[in-house]
Amino acid sequence: MPIRFFKIILKTNLKRLKLPNKFARKYGGGLPNQVFLKPPDGTRWKVCLTKKNGQVWFEKGWKEFTQNYSLDHGFLVLFKYEGTTSSSSSSSHFDVLIIDNTALEIDYPSNNGKNSDDDVSVQILKETKKEKLLPSSSHKNMRGEKNVSAASSLSLNWPKEPRAQEVAKKFVSHNPFFTVLIKPYHLTHHLVTIPSLEGYAGKEVKNVKLENGDRLWPVKMLCCNKSYSSRCLSAGWNSFARETELKPGDVCVFELVNMQDLVFKVHVFASQA
């Protein structure tokens, strides 16, 4: 029978997590030195264990897990452990569910239908002449050269919402860009779905930077599904959204200004509400 337990996340256990004493006493001896955490999005997170005086802690790898899913004070994590079925440590894993401080399970960065209205229809648009929305003469393309003309655009997605479409049509850059209408769950669930960036970034997890004003924010970029048809900005997105005071209804244009370091300049168009 699987063993289940939960832990309430506090500020003090975002870097390492102590497993319940009863669980540690009964099953800690059979745990390998590393296990895997498996959330519903299909990913596997390797976490190393520390055992001391009959106690067991998740340590190396736990911090990265909490950052990726933006765990915070008051979150609840449910664990299910089914034991080790072979000598291989890869068979030792904990299935996990994450409940946020609104008492709802989080929207994991996967295409599981929870945010189906946020799916990004990705298509590469041909370069066309468009009305200039922002002065682009000060923008630099990915070779570091200043743009000398605002006559063409390369958009990586076509948003569904009319206001986002309007911004995307008028925005001009010689760099690739995509457009996102900010919705409430982008701010409460600490992630946002974006295009796949096929041809500009590999399929593995990436560390990107979001630029706004004179600041840069490091953000984790994940693949949202096995087909790699979309990605998600996860850990770090919450800080960016909070510190730039994003609000529902704002439209963000993410302009790829440095492909080597994956730096996106984020242009924010305030909500008209």
Side-chain angles (χ1 to χ4, degrees), residues 153-167:
S153 284
L154 181 60
S155 178
L156 300 179
N157 75 322
W158 186 241
K160 298 177 180 180
E161 305 85 3
R163 170 158 161 71
Q165 290 179 4
E166 179 184 359
V167 171

Side-chain angles (χ1 to χ4, degrees), residues 35-38 80-83 89-95:
V35 297
F36 292 85
L37 304 183
K38 296 179 62 177
K80 182 175 77 170
Y81 179 66
E82 299 195 28
S89 63
S90 63
S91 64
S92 293
H93 71 266
F94 291 79
D95 292 320

Side-chain angles (χ1 to χ4, degrees), residues 115-159:
N115 280 345
S116 58
D117 62 331
D118 192 40
D119 290 345
V120 181
S121 177
V122 180
Q123 56 181 343
I124 302 298
L125 303 182
K126 293 182 179 179
E127 294 190 351
T128 57
K129 291 186 178 182
K130 296 182 180 180
E131 178 185 354
K132 184 166 62 174
L133 179 67
L134 285 179
S136 62
S137 59
S138 61
H139 296 175
K140 293 185 178 180
N141 61 26
M142 289 185 294
R143 296 188 299 271
E145 301 167 349
K146 287 191 176 183
N147 293 333
V148 295
S149 171
S152 62
S153 284
L154 181 60
S155 178
L156 300 179
N157 75 322
W158 186 241

Side-chain angles (χ1 to χ4, degrees), residues 26 87 138 205 218 266:
K26 293 184 67 174
S87 59
S138 61
V205 175
V266 184

Side-chain angles (χ1 to χ4, degrees), residues 180-243:
V180 175
L181 175 71
I182 300 300
K183 299 179 181 180
Y185 55 76
H186 292 150
L187 307 178
T188 58
H189 290 96
H190 314 320
L191 61 86
V192 59
T193 305
I194 66 173
S196 66
L197 303 182
E198 183 178 358
Y200 297 101
K203 296 178 179 179
E204 64 274 13
V205 175
K206 294 286 188 179
N207 293 311
V208 304
K209 294 182 177 67
L210 302 183
E211 176 184 345
N212 185 267
D214 58 356
R215 286 193 58 188
L216 290 172
W217 286 260
V219 176
K220 187 82 70 178
M221 184 173 70
L222 312 173
C223 287
C224 293
N225 50 47
K226 293 181 180 180
S227 65
Y228 304 105
S229 61
S230 61
R231 294 184 181 248
C232 292
L233 298 179
S234 182
W237 165 254
N238 183 41
S239 296
F240 173 82
R242 182 180 64 252
E243 292 171 22

Side-chain angles (χ1 to χ4, degrees), residues 167-180:
V167 171
K169 286 179 181 179
K170 295 181 178 180
F171 187 84
V172 173
S173 174
H174 286 278
N175 297 323
F177 67 89
F178 58 89
T179 310
V180 175

